[in-house]
Amino acid sequence: MLPPNLSIPDLRKSASNIFQAGVAAADPYQAVKGCLLAENDKLQILRDDTGDKRTGSWTKIHLIAFGKAACPMIRAAIDIIPAHYLSGQAIAVTNYDNVKPVRGVNVIGAGHPLPDEAGFNAAKLCAKIAQDAKAGELVLVLVLVSGGGSALIPYPVDPVSLQEKIRTTDLLLASGATINQVNCIRKHLSQLKGGGLARMVAPADCHALILSDVIGDDLSAIASGPTVPDETTFDDAIGLLKFKNIWHKVPESVRHYLECGQQGEARETAKPDDACFAQTSHTLIGSNTISVKAIMKTAQEQGFDAFLYNANLCGEARDEAEKLVQFALTHINTAGNRPIALLAGGETTVTLKGNGRGGRNQEMAFAFAIRAEQAKLPGNWVFLSGGTDGRDGPTDAAGGMVDSGTIQRMQAAGINPAELLANNDSYRALKASHDLLMTGATGTNVADLQVLLIQP
Ligand SMILES: Nc1ncnc2c1ncn2[C@@H]1O[C@H](COP(=O)(O)OP(=O)(O)OP(=O)(O)O)[C@@H](O)[C@H]1O
Ligand SMILES: O=C(O)[C@H](O)CO
């Protein structure tokens, strides 16, 4: 049970425990294990999207895993699938932080959030495994997909070079575009994304187990949907680049390729009626929603009056911080004396205007501290915003955990909070106030979680 009047250290400890419960609920190893069954030496996929079982008279199974959770996902598959199925064609591509050796698997570390040469080489190996699967050999290609996959297996269309793809990704990530928008462009510049991998596997069987880091769980957006039909078009991709004011900044080869596509001279991504999907199925095995339920439960168990503020938090990080402060102010008035937990899950965006360092969670936590101080949010409070993958933006922090004393600590360290926020320099500000959330890479990835705890 909670002590009667929670101090800031008490609240910080609880916030961190609640967040960890959300991360634990997205354990990729358990999620894959819960979906596969080997009985009498035969493999069954326990449910696909329609809730049906999938079995087959496969003689070989090839494994392709990519994303931040690739290692634990492929380990679970290797632990369950009877050895006689395994062909030796097993690859896992993950970000450098999450590389772990897995028996019988070619584990490859690659660049994230910006792609690199290692990822490009890994993407070619994935394509080779897919193309080697022949229908006559009764092969199943089991694809294990998790967030981060888009950056990790870049396979640009001809004639776009890897460097040009990296430059385009960089511009997109800084533009404030949502992940669905970013991935519409990525799909139209890739050989694997937007159903490309499913096309390579066909006519052999393909099944994907998908751990979602995309709010709303649109399967075609997760890791840019390499095994999923894509409804977006070259028109959409061009429209988005123009809308985000980066059409004239992306490399000439990218503009040229997209324009060719618009005129029907380049192949569209795989649409729902593409023949490759006849043998392709999917299972969604984990998501932010499941983690949000877990943090609600943990907050309640810890004695907080828990309220689901938003299960689909999106929008510009600093604006969402402001809205949460305003909501907390009104919520406090209607609550009694019990400590309150306002909880959320989602994925905000940041439109970069400055040249500082940070990530969307750090920026939201930093902006929350500034706004809460200005609005005089009463009582002891702690606000945590963190990426379940343990990595927020191009930094080594998972996010930020700020409290009623944060702004004072920043000022005492000689920091001008407003100036640093204007420069998107949340990492420096939070480091100075000792408010960086440092978890290390967690091995999973189901977007972000927010925990606001208040002792009125
Ligand atoms: N200085 C900064 N301040 C705030 N946000 C930043 C900063 N620099 C980069 N970002 C944001 O970080 C984002 C990339 O971060 P991150 O790698 O955590 O994304 P992600 O969504 O977890 O990646 P993936 O979905 O591929 O797993 C970009 O969208 C960008 O807007
Ligand atoms: O890899 C990606 O595209 C993002 O993490 C969304 O899944």
Side-chain angles (χ1 to χ4, degrees), residues 152-411:
L152 292 165
I153 47 164
Y155 201 160
V157 287
D158 221 18
V160 177
S161 71
L162 178 65
Q163 283 317 316
E164 289 164 341
K165 183 109 189 250
I166 294 172
R167 168 82 186 128
T168 309
T169 309
D170 202 13
L171 284 164
L172 276 167
L173 292 182
S175 73
T178 65
I179 191 67
N180 300 64
Q181 293 172 331
V182 171
N183 285 355
C184 165
I185 319 281
R186 282 166 156 167
K187 288 176 201 177
H188 282 88
L189 295 175
S190 165
Q191 304 196 36
L192 286 174
K193 300 177 170 79
L197 184 64
R199 273 179 171 158
M200 290 178 188
V201 172
D205 283 356
C206 180
H207 187 88
L209 302 182
I210 304 177
L211 182 71
S212 169
D213 68 330
V214 170
I215 305 310
D217 303 329
D218 172 1
L219 298 188
S220 75
I222 304 160
S224 301
T227 63
V228 182
D230 174 40
E231 307 259 15
T232 68
T233 62
F234 281 106
D235 262 355
D236 296 329
I238 293 173
L240 274 168
L241 289 171
K242 289 187 174 163
F243 175 64
K244 288 288 165 193
N245 287 323
I246 49 178
W247 174 249
H248 290 291
K249 295 188 187 155
V250 298
E252 161 63 25
S253 66
V254 167
R255 284 200 301 272
H256 178 71
Y257 179 80
L258 294 176
E259 279 173 342
C260 286
Q262 194 177 38
Q263 276 145 39
E265 290 159 20
R267 196 180 187 193
E268 247 304 353
T269 50
K271 301 301 170 219
D273 59 358
D274 195 294
C276 69
F277 296 116
Q279 303 304 325
T280 306
S281 50
H282 309 97
T283 315
L284 176 68
I285 59 165
S287 68
N288 188 264
T289 313
I290 295 171
S291 289
V292 169
K293 281 190 189 140
I295 62 172
M296 282 293 288
K297 184 162 168 276
T298 309
Q300 278 156 357
E301 282 167 2
Q302 295 206 355
F304 287 90
D305 213 345
F307 182 86
L308 178 60
Y309 168 67
N310 192 340
N312 190 358
L313 192 81
C314 50
E316 189 72 24
R318 62 183 67 194
D319 299 343
E320 294 311 308
E322 167 73 32
K323 286 185 206 157
L324 180 57
V325 169
Q326 293 309 324
F327 183 86
L329 285 169
T330 42
H331 191 82
I332 289 174
N333 290 333
T334 60
N337 285 334
R338 272 181 70 195
I340 303 163
L342 298 181
L343 304 166
E347 186 167 290
T348 60
T349 45
V350 171
T351 309
L352 286 177
K353 301 223 164 88
N355 58 9
R357 263 185 93 205
R360 55 180 181 259
N361 289 289
Q362 290 161 74
E363 182 148 318
M364 184 172 178
F366 182 27
F368 185 94
I370 296 176
R371 305 288 181 247
E373 176 87 0
Q374 286 165 347
K376 303 200 179 354
L377 183 64
N380 288 340
W381 57 261
V382 165
F383 175 64
L384 179 159
S385 183
T388 54
D389 56 3
R391 286 285 179 265
D392 184 38
T395 76
D396 58 356
M401 176 157 57
V402 292
D403 64 49
S404 347
T406 290
I407 297 299
Q408 254 181 358
R409 289 196 295 278
M410 283 181 185
Q411 285 163 344

Side-chain angles (χ1 to χ4, degrees), residues 30 75 125 136 160 202 237 281-282 439:
Q30 296 303 338
R75 190 160 52 80
L125 290 176
V160 177
S281 50
H282 309 97
T439 60

